[in-house]
């Protein structure tokens, strides 16, 4: 399939998931009333999805590398749509929780493939533009989610929120499955199933621990224990799930750490901002969303404009400046409640986060070979699932010290990304390019596309 359809499919996969998550937040009160569910049960409709998707993203990326990104993407999209239809017909909240976990499994299949397909379709030096389009689309979906969700819940009920996913899942999933795939990774390399299981348990325990109220010490201990076992296993595995050339790359590790830090800072800040806007200022959800609109606008704009500064200053300078902008937005939010001040603060948050998303993601995906692009996409998606969970957990824990102290701590988290950006490529592009498709491959080496 051509690059235009590849980009459209990548955007559609990312947008469906982003729109589903933001729209669900608006639908949860109605769902709780309709199904006579407890607050804990409603919370699990989000937690079940998050645990499932975060624990499987990297392994799903490996499946894409082995069996073909398009095939795995198509399966993920169709499964996501089917699970969404099932939720819309669910007779009770227990079914909703189970099907949300199933939805998370298929979401994990689709998400890394959306990046792996782009890596295979575009030369490394042209990845910034499609990644910018993808990031801008996610920003639009995040902004539209509450509005779309609110309109659907008001007019048709909460079940309609999930039915929206079915049509795009079919429209993009069926052509993807019909496409002839040629995997980038050699089929003879065995799947690291023990490594996949250990990583899944580690991430599932970590995500559950930080999303529990209060934070689960037992979950964190289990995550730490399985992480130690995972490291030992990966060092001995003949075909490790986490390729050493990707995990050991200084630039990729720095970019992933930056994504965790800035997403933790942003989502922790938004958690506190919602508290300030609705509790302290007495705004209703609609007017609170209006105050935060500059964030979405600047996120979309900054993502769209990011490729030009990337070419001029490189990922190092662009990411450092964007992370500092995000930290400045958090600091401003800690000191003002005026409409103008809040608007500027949210604009800085959006501009900083949108730019970091494009720049850091480009480093992770561009630095990976085509045969490991799915794993790279899985790691990027994992970072963007772990970061918000940690940020919200930290914000909730720090609220007892006051909103200003909590926001100052979150600004410090964003500021950590500034020195980390020194490890990213400069203007000359320190990430080596992979050979063009026509370049001869040494005997015994994996074939690339």
């Amino acid at each position: 399939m051509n690059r235009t359809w590849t980009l459209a499919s990548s955007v559609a996969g990312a947008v469906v998931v982003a729109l589903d998550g933001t729209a669900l937040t608006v639908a949860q009160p109605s769902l709780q009333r309709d199904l006579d569910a407890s607050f804990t049960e409603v919370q699990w409709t989000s937690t079940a999805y998050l645990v499932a998707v975060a624990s499987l993203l990297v392994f799903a990326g490996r499946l894409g590398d082995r069996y073909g990104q398009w095939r795995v993407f198509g399966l993920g999209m169709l499964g996501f749509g089917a699970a969404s239809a099932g939720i819309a017909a669910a007779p009770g909240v227990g079914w909703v929780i189970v099907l949300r976990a199933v939805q998370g499994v298929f979401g994990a299949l689709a998400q890394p493939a959306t990046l792996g397909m782009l890596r295979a379709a575009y030369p490394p030096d042209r990845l910034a533009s499609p990644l910018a389009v993808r990031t801008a689309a996610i920003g639009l979906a995040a902004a539209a989610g509450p509005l779309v969700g609110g309109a659907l819940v008001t007019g048709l009920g909460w079940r309609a929120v999930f039915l929206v996913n079915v049509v795009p899942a079919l429209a993009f999933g069926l052509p993807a499955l019909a496409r002839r795939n040629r995997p980038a990774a050699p089929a003879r390399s065995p799947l690291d199933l023990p490594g996949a299981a250990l990583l899944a348990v580690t991430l599932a325990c970590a995500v559950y621990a930080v999303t529990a109220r209060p934070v689960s010490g037992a979950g964190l201990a289990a995550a730490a224990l399985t992480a130690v076992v995972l490291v030992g296993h990966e060092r001995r595995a003949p075909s490790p799930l986490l390729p050493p050339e990707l995990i050991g790359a200084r630039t990729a590790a720095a970019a992933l750490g930056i994504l965790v830090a800035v997403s933790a800072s942003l989502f922790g800040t938004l958690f506190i901002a919602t508290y300030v806007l609705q509790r302290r200022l007495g705004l209703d959800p609609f007017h609170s969303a209006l105050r935060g609109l500059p964030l979405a606008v600047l996120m979309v704009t900054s993502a769209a404009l990011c490729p030009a500064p990337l070419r001029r200053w490189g990922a190092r300078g662009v990411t450092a400046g964007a992370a500092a902008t995000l930290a400045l937005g958090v600091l401003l939010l800690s000191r003002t409640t005026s409409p103008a001040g809040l608007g500027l603060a949210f604009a800085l948050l959006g501009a900083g986060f949108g730019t970091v998303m494009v720049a850091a993601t480009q480093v992770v995906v561009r630095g990976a070979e085509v045969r490991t692009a799915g794993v790279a996409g899985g790691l990027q998606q994992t970072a963007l699932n772990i970061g918000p969970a940690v940020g919200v957990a930290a914000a909730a824990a720090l609220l007892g010290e006051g909103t200003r102290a909590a926001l100052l701590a979150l600004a410090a988290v964003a500021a950590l990304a500034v020195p980390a950006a020194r490890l990213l490529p400069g203007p000359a592009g320190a990430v080596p390019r992979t050979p063009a498709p026509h370049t001869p491959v040494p005997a015994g080496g994996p074939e690339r596309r």
Side-chain angles (χ1 to χ4, degrees):
M1 292 185 182
N2 60 33
R3 288 176 179 171
T4 301
W5 182 253
T6 299
L7 179 57
S9 298
S10 177
V11 168
V15 165
V16 164
V17 173
L19 194 63
D20 178 83
T22 53
L24 174 63
T25 304
V26 178
Q28 282 178 329
S30 178
L31 181 153
Q32 182 177 12
R33 290 191 301 269
D34 187 36
L35 299 181
D36 194 25
S38 67
F39 177 78
T40 300
E41 288 172 327
V42 172
Q43 186 180 26
W44 267 101
T45 63
S46 295
T47 302
Y49 176 89
L50 185 59
V51 169
V53 73
S55 62
L56 295 174
L57 282 165
V58 176
F59 183 59
R62 181 71 181 99
L63 291 176
D65 292 333
R66 182 183 174 94
Y67 298 109
Q69 303 293 354
W70 282 98
R71 182 178 293 123
V72 173
F73 170 76
L75 179 62
M77 287 293 282
L78 292 176
F80 194 90
S84 298
I87 295 171
V93 70
W95 280 101
V96 174
I97 293 170
V98 171
L99 288 170
R100 280 286 287 169
V102 174
Q103 199 182 36
V105 172
F106 286 105
L109 289 176
Q111 288 302 287
T114 63
L115 290 171
M117 293 186 302
L118 292 180
R119 175 63 184 86
Y122 289 85
D125 57 358
R126 294 181 59 187
L127 267 174
S129 293
L131 289 175
V133 172
R134 183 179 180 276
T135 302
I138 293 173
L140 282 173
L147 300 176
V148 172
L152 289 172
V153 171
T154 301
L156 300 172
W158 65 268
R159 297 176 189 273
V161 169
F162 295 97
L163 288 175
V164 169
N165 300 327
V166 176
V167 172
L170 290 172
F172 289 92
L174 290 175
L177 282 183
R179 183 184 189 273
R180 294 186 63 182
N181 279 255
R182 186 175 68 176
R188 64 180 178 272
S189 61
L191 287 173
D192 182 14
L193 295 179
L198 286 169
L199 181 61
V201 172
T202 299
L203 292 173
C205 290
V207 171
Y208 169 74
V210 298
T211 54
R213 297 291 182 269
V215 173
S216 171
L220 289 175
L225 178 62
T226 52
V228 171
V229 178
L230 172 65
V231 170
H233 167 79
E234 289 294 286
R235 287 177 175 174
R236 298 188 302 270
S239 181
L241 173 67
L242 304 173
E245 67 272 17
L246 182 60
I247 296 299
R250 186 177 63 172
T251 53
L256 290 169
I258 288 168
L259 287 172
V260 171
V262 297
S263 61
S265 178
L266 176 69
F267 284 87
T269 298
L270 293 180
F271 176 84
I272 294 173
T274 301
Y275 176 87
V276 171
L277 292 171
Q278 297 188 23
R279 298 281 183 87
R280 183 184 299 177
L281 301 183
L283 300 177
D284 59 34
F286 178 75
H287 287 90
S288 295
L290 286 180
R291 292 288 176 90
L293 196 58
L295 186 151
V297 173
L298 266 294
M299 179 177 168
V300 172
T301 304
S302 64
L305 297 177
C306 188
L310 270 177
R311 287 190 294 269
R312 181 169 182 177
W313 294 300
R316 183 186 306 151
V318 170
T319 304
T325 300
L326 176 62
L328 181 61
V330 181
L331 285 175
L332 180 58
L333 204 59
S334 72
R335 294 183 170 274
T336 183
T337 55
S338 69
L342 290 172
L344 178 58
F346 281 122
L348 292 172
L349 293 177
F353 187 71
T355 304
V356 171
M357 273 277 288
V358 176
T361 298
Q362 186 212 28
V363 171
V364 175
V365 178
R366 179 180 175 179
E369 296 184 12
V370 174
R371 65 184 180 86
T372 59
V375 173
L379 288 169
Q380 187 264 4
Q381 292 290 308
T382 301
L384 291 176
N385 277 272
I386 296 293
V390 171
V392 172
L398 291 168
L399 264 179
E401 304 298 322
T403 57
R404 176 168 293 185
L407 289 170
L408 288 175
L410 292 167
V413 172
L416 292 174
V418 177
R422 291 174 59 86
L423 300 175
L424 302 184
V431 181
R433 291 187 60 178
T434 55
H438 62 272
T439 302
V441 179
E447 182 181 10
R448 298 177 189 167
R449 53 175 177 168

